[in-house]
Amino acid sequence: MTTIEDAQPFAFRFDPAHTALVIIDMQRDFIEPGGFGETLGNDVSLLEAIVPACRSVLLAWRAAGGLVVHTRESHAADLSDCPPAKLNRGEPRLRIGDAGPMGRILIAGEPGNQIIRALAPVPGEWVIDKPGKGAFYATGLHERLQIRGVRQLIFMGVTAEVCVQTSMREANDRGYDCLLLEDCTESYFPAFKAATLEMVRAQGGIVGWTAGSESLLTALAGGTS
Ligand code: C5J
C-alpha cells in the first residue's frame, strides 16, 4: 500500500495496482483561449494554470504503470444522447450542438471536444465520452473498472464543482475511495473550487479525500508526505 500522510481529512492509503487516475474533461473548449469557455466570458487562464501540475501527475502515473482514464463531455452529432433538460439550459448565447469557435459545442469529434495536447491520451489509456456531467452515467465506466479490480480513484480535471464533483459523488456511491488533487482541479469561479474541496472532505471525508499533487508524487516515489 502507498500512503499520502497529509491528505485531508486523514491519510489516504491506496494500492496503485487497484487505483485509476481519472482525468475529467480537460478539453480544448474548456481550457484554451478562443474556445467555448472563453467565448462565454470566462477567464480560462485559471484553468490553464493547472495543466503543468496535471501533466506531472499524468507522467508519473504512466511511469508507475497505473491505469489512466480520460473523460470528455461529449454528445452524438444528432444530439440523441442529450435530453431536453440539458439542451435547453445553459448559456443561451451558445448551446450544446451550436457552431462554436472550435466546432460544434460538446459534439464528439469536433476540434474543441479533444483533450488538450499536454494531456493527450496514449494507446492503452481509456477515453470515456460521457453525455452527462458525471463519468458514471451512461458510460459503462463502473463495469469496466470492476472488471479491472479498481477500488480507488484519484481525480483531476475541470470544472471542480460540476463534472469533477459529480463524478466523485457517483464514484463514492459505487464504493470507490476517491482522492481529489487540490492543485489539479479548477473552476471559472474560485469560490466554487474552494467550496468543492471543503465539501469533499467534510464530515470525515463524506465524498473522499483531498491532497496536493506533490504529496502524491512523493508517495509514488516511495517517500512520505
Ligand atoms: C464540466 C461543465 N466539465 N462545467 N462541464 O465541468 O459544464
Side-chain angles (χ1 to χ4, degrees), residues 13-162:
R13 283 167 56 77
F14 66 102
D15 176 357
H18 295 281
T19 303
L21 176 67
V22 183
I23 310 174
I24 300 289
D25 300 359
M26 292 296 283
Q27 295 162 232
R28 296 185 61 204
D29 250 336
F30 293 131
I31 312 279
E32 290 186 2
F36 172 45
E38 189 178 68
T39 305
L40 292 178
N42 298 301
D43 177 5
V44 294
S45 70
L46 289 169
L47 274 57
E48 274 188 299
I50 69 168
V51 173
C54 291
R55 184 168 161 79
S56 296
V57 170
L58 175 59
L59 295 180
W61 194 257
R62 274 180 187 153
L67 174 63
V68 180
V69 179
H70 304 260
T71 71
R72 297 184 289 214
E73 187 171 353
S74 176
H75 292 276
D78 64 1
L79 297 176
S80 54
D81 58 0
C82 188
K86 184 175 184 186
L87 191 58
N88 296 332
R89 279 184 287 130
E91 282 281 349
R93 281 173 292 160
L94 210 48
R95 289 223 160 107
I96 297 169
D98 287 350
M102 292 185 186
R104 292 180 68 203
I105 302 301
L106 299 187
I107 298 298
E110 296 289 338
N113 205 239
Q114 305 311 310
I115 292 167
I116 58 169
R117 187 185 295 268
L119 304 177
V122 299
E125 296 178 352
W126 299 1
V127 180
I128 303 288
D129 283 318
K130 60 182 186 57
K133 301 300 183 192
F136 289 81
Y137 169 67
T139 62
L141 176 58
H142 180 50
E143 292 72 17
R144 290 181 69 179
L145 291 171
Q146 292 298 292
I147 290 167
R148 278 285 291 255
V150 172
R151 294 190 290 269
Q152 293 174 300
L153 301 174
I154 297 175
F155 281 89
M156 323 195 282
V158 297
T159 59
E161 78 281 12
V162 185

